[in-house]
Amino acid sequence: MSYIKIFSIFLAISSSLAFLFEFIFPISYLPITFPYEGLMNYLGVAGLYMEAVFLGLVAVVLSNKVRSLLPLGIALLVSPSLNLIHNYSLSPYWSFIEIVLALLGIASLIEVTIKSNRRSLLFLPTLAMVTLTTYAGIDTIFLHGDLAICYSFIFIASLLGVIIYAIIYNKIISKRAMMSYIAAIPGLFVFLPLYFLVINNRFLEIIMNMVIPSAFGIALYNPYNLPILLLALSISIYTILLLAIKGNGYAGLGYFIIITTAFQAITGFHLLLYLLAPFIGFSILNYREIGNERTIMDDLKKLVQRLSLNT
């Protein structure tokens, strides 16, 4: 078993635990109790640290294909030790490092795309989403601005591209494909019950208007977009499971990491993980397409040759 496969398994477990923590933490401030809350909080915090470590290890392993991932992986691996430096986050040097890492992250998005085949063009809306949310974080921290746009519709645009990719991956209609379409249905019911709750109960809609953006970082400038967002989240979990069952668990894992971290940047990079995870997640999303068949780089080279011949 390869290192990328081993690290990805642990990354899938840790990112699920970290997401559990992200979801439980805002709920814990509400007058709501649920069984084993303390245990799940401990597991969630452990998952958050494990995600940083295994995401860094995955980035280092993938750097043999995507060179710009190496500094991102190293930065994540050393990030837990930064807490030993008193008030490191207040230093202007740290602000400079964050900007450099953001630029390297955007460079990795471009590098991954041009080294992948034409199917990766379906991930361009996701690339745009990651870039935009990174800019929103920089705008919040360094420019003290507020990029007031509808992030939920940007998420939907990204999701549409991933859905099409999931459908055309391997075969659209085959025995395994039909089984995967059915087997992934339980993924719909992760957020679908919340959808039916909020459309029938205004009080719960008000509560979820606070909880969902806190868990995902997606700012709802129009609170009535919440049902649409919950539907999109339900379909995204279905699509992630569909990809895994169809044989591309890397793409499913990569997209899960993106949707659970990309929008956290909107309110600033509270953790270095929220700055770097979407970039590394995008590389994992494209893992099966990197260097597979004719790449976009090959198409660009051919286009340049044609242009040079014409001139």
Side-chain angles (χ1 to χ4, degrees):
M1 188 179 290
S2 62
Y3 285 115
I4 182 66
K5 186 174 289 187
I6 295 170
F7 293 151
S8 294
I9 291 170
F10 283 103
L11 178 58
I13 296 170
S14 58
S15 60
S16 299
L17 291 173
F19 172 67
L20 183 68
F21 173 75
E22 291 172 7
F23 206 86
I24 291 174
F25 185 74
I27 297 177
S28 63
Y29 288 95
L30 299 173
I32 300 174
T33 57
F34 46 89
Y36 307 108
E37 180 180 351
L39 176 62
M40 286 190 284
N41 271 319
Y42 282 120
L43 289 174
V45 173
L48 203 60
Y49 280 96
M50 287 173 59
E51 183 180 18
V53 171
F54 286 108
L55 200 60
L57 291 173
V58 168
V60 171
V61 173
L62 284 178
S63 64
N64 65 336
K65 292 186 176 183
V66 185
R67 301 296 181 187
S68 50
L69 284 180
L70 183 58
L72 305 186
I74 294 173
L76 265 182
L77 290 173
V78 303
S79 62
S81 63
L82 293 175
N83 288 318
L84 300 174
I85 305 173
H86 183 63
N87 288 334
Y88 75 93
S89 61
L90 301 179
S91 169
Y93 298 108
W94 177 247
S95 301
F96 173 75
I97 291 172
E98 282 188 311
I99 293 175
V100 170
L101 289 174
L103 292 174
L104 285 172
I106 292 171
S108 74
L109 299 179
I110 299 170
E111 184 181 356
V112 168
T113 301
I114 63 175
K115 287 184 175 180
S116 303
N117 60 33
R118 295 173 183 174
R119 281 194 299 268
S120 67
L121 292 175
L122 290 168
F123 299 142
L124 286 180
T126 304
L127 185 152
M129 180 180 76
V130 172
T131 304
L132 192 64
T133 52
T134 302
Y135 173 78
I138 292 173
D139 185 42
T140 300
I141 296 174
F142 303 110
L143 305 178
H144 306 294
D146 180 20
L147 195 60
I149 57 177
C150 187
Y151 293 99
S152 55
F153 286 107
I154 295 169
F155 169 46
I156 291 170
S158 164
L159 179 58
L160 286 174
V162 178
I163 289 171
I164 295 171
Y165 175 82
I167 293 172
I168 67 173
Y169 185 79
N170 280 341
K171 295 180 180 180
I172 298 176
I173 299 176
S174 67
K175 185 177 179 180
R176 179 170 181 170
M178 298 308 295
M179 289 177 61
S180 62
Y181 297 142
I182 297 171
I185 288 176
L188 289 171
F189 295 96
V190 175
F191 291 100
L192 207 56
L194 289 177
Y195 168 78
F196 289 112
L197 282 176
V198 300
I199 62 173
N200 294 317
N201 190 315
R202 177 58 183 156
F203 173 73
L204 284 176
E205 183 180 10
I206 295 171
I207 297 296
M208 287 298 114
N209 271 327
M210 296 182 288
V211 172
I212 296 299
S214 297
F216 284 92
I218 300 175
L220 293 172
Y221 290 100
N222 180 355
Y224 292 99
N225 286 336
L226 178 63
I228 298 174
L229 176 59
L230 288 172
L231 279 176
L233 289 171
S234 299
I235 296 171
S236 68
I237 300 299
Y238 172 84
T239 307
I240 288 166
L241 290 179
L242 175 61
L243 281 166
I245 298 169
K246 260 194 161 187
N248 194 347
Y250 293 108
L253 174 61
Y255 198 62
F256 179 76
I257 290 170
I258 291 171
I259 65 174
T260 54
T261 57
F263 296 98
Q264 299 289 347
I266 294 172
T267 53
F269 307 119
H270 308 300
L271 297 173
L272 191 63
L273 178 70
Y274 295 142
L275 170 62
L276 302 182
F279 301 128
I280 302 171
F282 188 79
S283 295
I284 301 171
L285 176 66
N286 282 272
Y287 178 71
R288 292 287 191 191
E289 311 303 328
I290 299 173
N292 184 13
E293 300 173 2
R294 187 179 181 87
T295 66
I296 294 173
M297 175 65 82
D298 295 331
D299 291 335
L300 290 173
K301 287 179 179 178
K302 191 172 182 179
L303 178 62
V304 170
Q305 289 174 355
R306 285 181 178 178
L307 290 174
S308 61
L309 288 174
N310 291 333
T311 54

